[in-house]
Amino acid sequence: MQVIFIHHSCFLVEVDEKVLIFDWFAGDRIKGYTFCGVIPEYEPDTPVYVFASHKHQDHFDMDVLHWAEKYKNIHYILSKDCKMSPHFLQKHGFPDDIREKITYVSAGEKYQVDDVKIETLRSTDAGVAFYVETRGATFFHAGDLNDWTWEGAGDLINGRMRREYRTQIKKLAGKPINLAFVPMDPRQGADQELGMDYFLETTSAEYVFPMHMWQDYSHIPVYKKKIWNPGMAERVVEITHENQVFLIEEQ
């Protein structure tokens, strides 16, 4: 199994003959940033599954629908807040049959696309998080599900956020997770560790990739050194740059 950190919260997973891509957007879409991640090229008959957790511009880009022009076995699993009307799609040059390749999903539901099983969690910000299983391999992509605690927000708001986050993550306790992708946003300052801490404590995810870091990966090694449990620290994957490739041994 191979994982590629594309950029920001976008990861690509190659498992068996499939390619799973989470939360892609073009690198020039966000003001003040230039993201340089590149999606590799695959054979036209490759089964490709594209996930979008919500419609924020750093998680979804409708240009991803153009990939259907190359990959005949492509499928889109998009949060319902990304929904586009037939008129909108037609206006932007997409053929009518693109709708047949899209599955729109809501929080707290289960879906299946081919042999890919999908369970959604409710985000603490927008859209959904994904728990995905295919042929015994399991993945969790949090999207913007995080403990978004902010200095100055107040105990009432921060406390509610923490409760909502923990309620969702508890649903993963006991579930097998080979790979997890979890926010650790440097804009939160010292609180950027809160969501990651609880995720590591609550789940048995084997490899946990920090994300949503706005190109600042400097805190990952600092965080790993602070974790008192060496086994827990080893589960956190150290990301250093975009287009970084990780080879994962399947158990």
Side-chain angles (χ1 to χ4, degrees):
M1 186 158 47
Q2 178 168 278
V3 179
I4 305 175
F5 170 57
I6 304 299
H7 53 224
H8 198 50
S9 296
C10 179
F11 288 83
L12 181 151
V13 181
E14 298 175 358
V15 54
D16 294 332
E17 78 285 0
K18 300 184 187 70
V19 175
L20 282 63
I21 303 170
F22 295 91
D23 283 15
W24 178 85
F25 63 95
D28 60 353
R29 292 288 197 265
I30 312 300
K31 185 178 180 180
Y33 292 90
T34 300
F35 294 94
C36 301
V38 176
I39 301 293
E41 295 286 328
Y42 295 96
E43 293 297 320
D45 60 348
T46 302
V48 179
Y49 300 84
V50 180
F51 296 80
S53 63
H54 61 290
K55 68 179 182 180
H56 290 171
Q57 62 180 350
D58 62 324
H59 291 263
F60 175 66
D61 188 328
M62 73 174 184
D63 281 355
V64 75
L65 299 180
H66 284 300
W67 296 356
E69 297 164 10
K70 176 173 182 178
Y71 299 111
K72 63 181 181 181
N73 292 328
I74 196 168
H75 307 269
Y76 299 94
I77 301 93
L78 311 180
S79 173
K80 277 195 173 177
D81 66 331
C82 300
K83 196 164 188 176
M84 295 159 281
S85 69
H87 174 72
F88 180 89
L89 291 168
Q90 188 177 53
K91 178 181 176 181
H92 286 83
F94 297 105
D96 290 340
D97 62 358
I98 193 67
R99 287 178 288 158
E100 300 171 7
K101 298 180 181 295
I102 302 174
T103 299
Y104 290 108
V105 301
S106 299
E109 301 291 344
K110 294 181 179 180
Y111 303 86
Q112 184 159 346
V113 179
D114 299 333
D115 67 347
V116 179
K117 298 177 182 179
I118 303 152
E119 184 175 343
T120 57
L121 279 65
R122 186 175 305 279
S123 176
T124 47
D125 186 6
V128 303
F130 295 106
Y131 177 78
V132 181
E133 188 272 330
T134 180
R135 298 191 183 181
T138 51
F139 315 106
F140 173 70
H141 189 283
D144 267 358
L145 171 58
N146 189 28
D147 184 344
W148 294 112
T149 296
W150 299 100
E151 184 178 353
D155 292 342
L156 181 64
I157 293 173
N158 285 336
R160 184 176 64 212
M161 175 64 65
R162 186 160 304 166
R163 289 191 298 272
E164 291 175 356
Y165 175 72
R166 293 185 173 199
T167 295
Q168 294 302 310
I169 297 303
K170 282 178 183 176
K171 296 177 182 180
L172 300 172
K175 288 182 178 291
I177 305 175
N178 297 120
L179 310 175
F181 310 101
V182 178
M184 198 164 76
D185 193 318
R187 299 175 303 172
Q188 290 183 271
D191 292 329
Q192 67 182 284
E193 303 172 359
L194 295 176
M196 182 66 77
D197 280 346
Y198 190 74
F199 185 85
L200 289 169
E201 293 166 2
T202 306
T203 76
S204 59
E206 297 173 8
Y207 298 91
V208 182
F209 294 77
M211 67 177 190
H212 213 276
M213 292 172 290
W214 300 102
Q215 298 181 315
D216 180 2
Y217 317 109
S218 61
H219 192 67
I220 300 176
V222 176
Y223 174 66
K224 292 184 66 170
K225 289 179 181 178
K226 290 172 63 176
I227 300 175
W228 64 270
N229 184 321
M232 191 177 291
E234 289 176 0
R235 294 160 57 197
V236 179
V237 179
E238 194 162 339
I239 289 173
T240 60
H241 60 274
E242 296 171 0
N243 293 306
Q244 190 171 359
V245 178
F246 303 88
L247 297 178
I248 307 294
E249 291 188 13
E250 298 184 49
Q251 303 298 320

